[in-house]
Amino acid sequence: MSDTTQRPDSWVPEALAALKDSLDGTHPPIEFLPGGPEESPRWSLRSDVSPAQTAAVVRTSGSTGTPKQTLLSPDALRSSAHATAEALGGHGQWLLTLQPSYVAGLAVLSRSLLAGTTPAPLLQHTTDPASFTRAAAQLDGERRYVSLVPTQLQRLLDHVPDDAELTDALRRFDAILLGGGPSSPALLERAAQHGLSVVRTYGMSETSGGCVYDGRPLPGVRLSTEDSGRVRISGPMVASGYLGDEELSAAHFDRDPETGLRSFLTDDLGEVDTDPHGQQLSISGRADDVIITGGVKVSALRIRDALLTHPRISDAFVGPVPDPDWGQAVSAAVVPKNQDIEPPLEPELQELVRSALGAPAAPKRLLLLRELPLLANGKPDRRELLHLLAQDPRHEEREVTPWQL
């Protein structure tokens, strides 16, 4: 495995050239590695991986399970880039705000290659208004795009009322792709009020990134659901499988019997409806987000959605914590919009969920935090949050106190 390190001012062109060589098959498959704070990303050429069906290797974060190495073929990455451009109205220039070691960042590089443009990198201080505005100003393409996770957009919008330059920078994007997790209605409403062109995306490493935009599949993508309710995605952008795990690959990857295209069985639960405009996907949760508390099944995603309807809550995480009485206790970490916390907030939240979803869904443990701990890709750190929630709130010397993070 060879490793390449770049000068801070040169890594983007060199990364594009290295990715192109892997896509063309002149070099072994490439794997991007995250850079440390204030460092440029690095990459390795994976000579241990057959280039027959692989141009790039993407590792999952492993935040909810065993880390996997996803194998993306040249056709998968190119198909994803072409379909994205068709859905957005044309190729364009991108602001790169996510590490290329994650599929969302890698997708920006592959889209840029096909567009013949060079992305402007902003991998640190992505929600600092001055840094974001300066980076966005570097884009001189006819069409401009950026891909963000909800937390990034949320924190940028917090600065918008007092920062006209940031507002203008955000409005100049022809599309702000928003993925990597569910977006609250309140966040989408705020973005619309400021005139931002937000496109909600759904996808994963196994589909070369987003493949459903605002609930509609990209060109060439077909959606279906299994009897279990899990969503299956078929299309030319589906990965070849997982490296070194034939059993897991067989459980998730197959061929669509109607189209012959590769398909991926997700762990997401949802419904696929058909209307005059085509298929429409709605996600109701994950197969692993079901909490069984006192013998009753409740959805962590629906509880989170209910919590976010409270006008004083800006973000939330819901998960199960082992409990001797209930088996699993519904537990939530919430981020209030300000630090002026009044005692009624916690019972208010419990009653809110109880009224919306029933008594079993009401969180038995609530933790107030300044912000949710995040992984490097901007997603909530599920393992850390479950660890924090599992600490007994009745213990006098508990490690976590409100507003610690």
Side-chain angles (χ1 to χ4, degrees):
M1 184 183 296
S2 61
D3 181 70
T4 306
T5 304
Q6 316 77 29
R7 301 185 309 275
D9 61 345
S10 66
W11 78 266
V12 173
E14 293 178 13
L16 290 172
L19 177 59
K20 182 179 186 301
D21 287 339
S22 294
L23 286 168
D24 294 342
T26 58
H27 280 178
I30 194 170
E31 178 186 0
F32 285 94
L33 309 171
E38 310 301 331
E39 293 180 353
S40 300
R42 299 169 294 119
W43 56 85
S44 294
L45 299 180
R46 295 292 298 270
S47 56
D48 59 319
V49 179
S50 171
Q53 293 293 324
T54 307
V57 179
V58 177
R59 296 178 190 253
T60 62
S61 65
S63 62
T64 60
T66 303
K68 301 178 287 287
Q69 297 185 65
T70 305
L71 306 177
L72 298 175
S73 70
D75 287 344
L77 288 169
R78 291 191 178 109
S79 295
S80 175
H82 282 306
T84 296
E86 185 175 345
L88 295 179
H91 288 290
Q93 188 179 19
W94 290 79
L95 179 62
L96 176 62
T97 63
L98 297 166
Q99 291 277 351
S101 53
Y102 299 109
V103 73
L106 174 65
V108 167
L109 294 184
S110 60
R111 293 165 189 161
S112 300
L113 273 178
L114 268 66
T117 59
T118 300
L122 178 66
L123 299 182
Q124 286 85 33
H125 314 296
T126 61
T127 59
D128 173 71
S131 299
F132 188 93
T133 301
R134 284 195 300 270
Q138 298 177 35
L139 301 179
D140 56 8
E142 183 177 348
R143 298 186 66 81
R144 306 174 185 187
Y145 303 121
V146 64
S147 182
L148 301 173
V149 298
T151 301
Q152 288 175 311
L153 181 59
Q154 173 95 36
R155 294 179 182 177
L156 286 168
L157 286 177
D158 287 342
H159 296 283
V160 161
D162 303 315
D163 194 325
E165 290 186 354
L166 174 62
T167 305
D168 290 341
L170 288 166
R171 287 175 178 165
R172 281 197 293 269
F173 286 103
D174 293 273
I176 298 174
L177 302 191
L178 196 63
S183 304
S184 69
L187 175 60
L188 298 175
E189 183 178 353
R190 287 181 67 194
Q193 289 173 347
H194 291 292
L196 308 188
S197 300
V198 172
V199 178
R200 293 176 296 110
T201 71
Y202 169 76
M204 56 281 300
S205 298
E206 293 86 349
T207 60
S208 303
C211 61
V212 178
Y213 284 8
D214 286 332
R216 302 286 184 181
L218 293 185
V221 175
R222 182 176 180 271
L223 305 172
S224 60
T225 55
E226 305 289 292
D227 291 340
S228 63
R230 291 165 67 187
V231 175
R232 182 179 289 275
I233 301 171
S234 302
M237 61 282 296
V238 171
S240 304
Y242 299 122
L243 178 64
D245 199 329
E246 295 183 3
E247 182 177 351
L248 190 61
S249 294
H252 285 274
F253 293 95
D254 203 347
R255 290 278 178 184
D256 186 301
E258 295 185 16
T259 64
L261 294 170
R262 290 190 60 77
S263 70
F264 175 69
L265 180 61
T266 75
D267 290 321
D268 294 314
L269 304 175
E271 295 182 358
V272 179
D273 297 319
T274 302
D275 59 30
H277 302 287
Q279 291 185 307
Q280 177 78 39
L281 173 67
S282 59
I283 297 296
S284 58
R286 286 181 58 84
D288 59 4
D289 94 335
V290 175
I291 301 172
I292 304 177
T293 179
V296 179
K297 294 181 180 179
V298 295
S299 167
L301 179 61
R302 294 186 65 192
I303 296 170
R304 177 182 185 270
D305 289 343
L307 289 169
L308 291 176
T309 64
H310 194 287
R312 291 161 61 193
I313 298 301
S314 64
D315 205 353
F317 169 85
V318 177
V321 168
D323 186 274
D325 298 321
W326 299 94
Q328 291 181 324
V330 177
S331 304
V334 296
V335 180
K337 292 180 179 179
N338 59 64
Q339 298 183 26
D340 186 17
I341 299 301
E342 301 174 6
L345 180 59
E346 295 186 33
E348 277 183 23
L349 294 175
Q350 291 171 325
E351 180 57 33
L352 175 66
V353 176
R354 184 180 296 109
S355 298
L357 302 174
K364 295 177 174 62
R365 300 182 185 182
L366 274 165
L367 182 64
L368 307 181
L369 300 177
R370 286 185 182 276
E371 58 186 25
L372 299 183
L374 304 177
L375 296 168
N377 61 0
K379 297 181 182 181
D381 189 335
R382 180 181 175 87
R383 288 182 176 176
E384 176 64 14
L385 284 161
L386 288 176
H387 170 72
L388 296 177
L389 290 169
Q391 298 182 48
D392 191 341
R394 295 164 295 187
H395 197 289
E396 293 182 358
E397 297 180 356
R398 59 187 278 216
E399 297 177 14
V400 182
T401 56
W403 307 108
Q404 176 181 335
L405 297 181

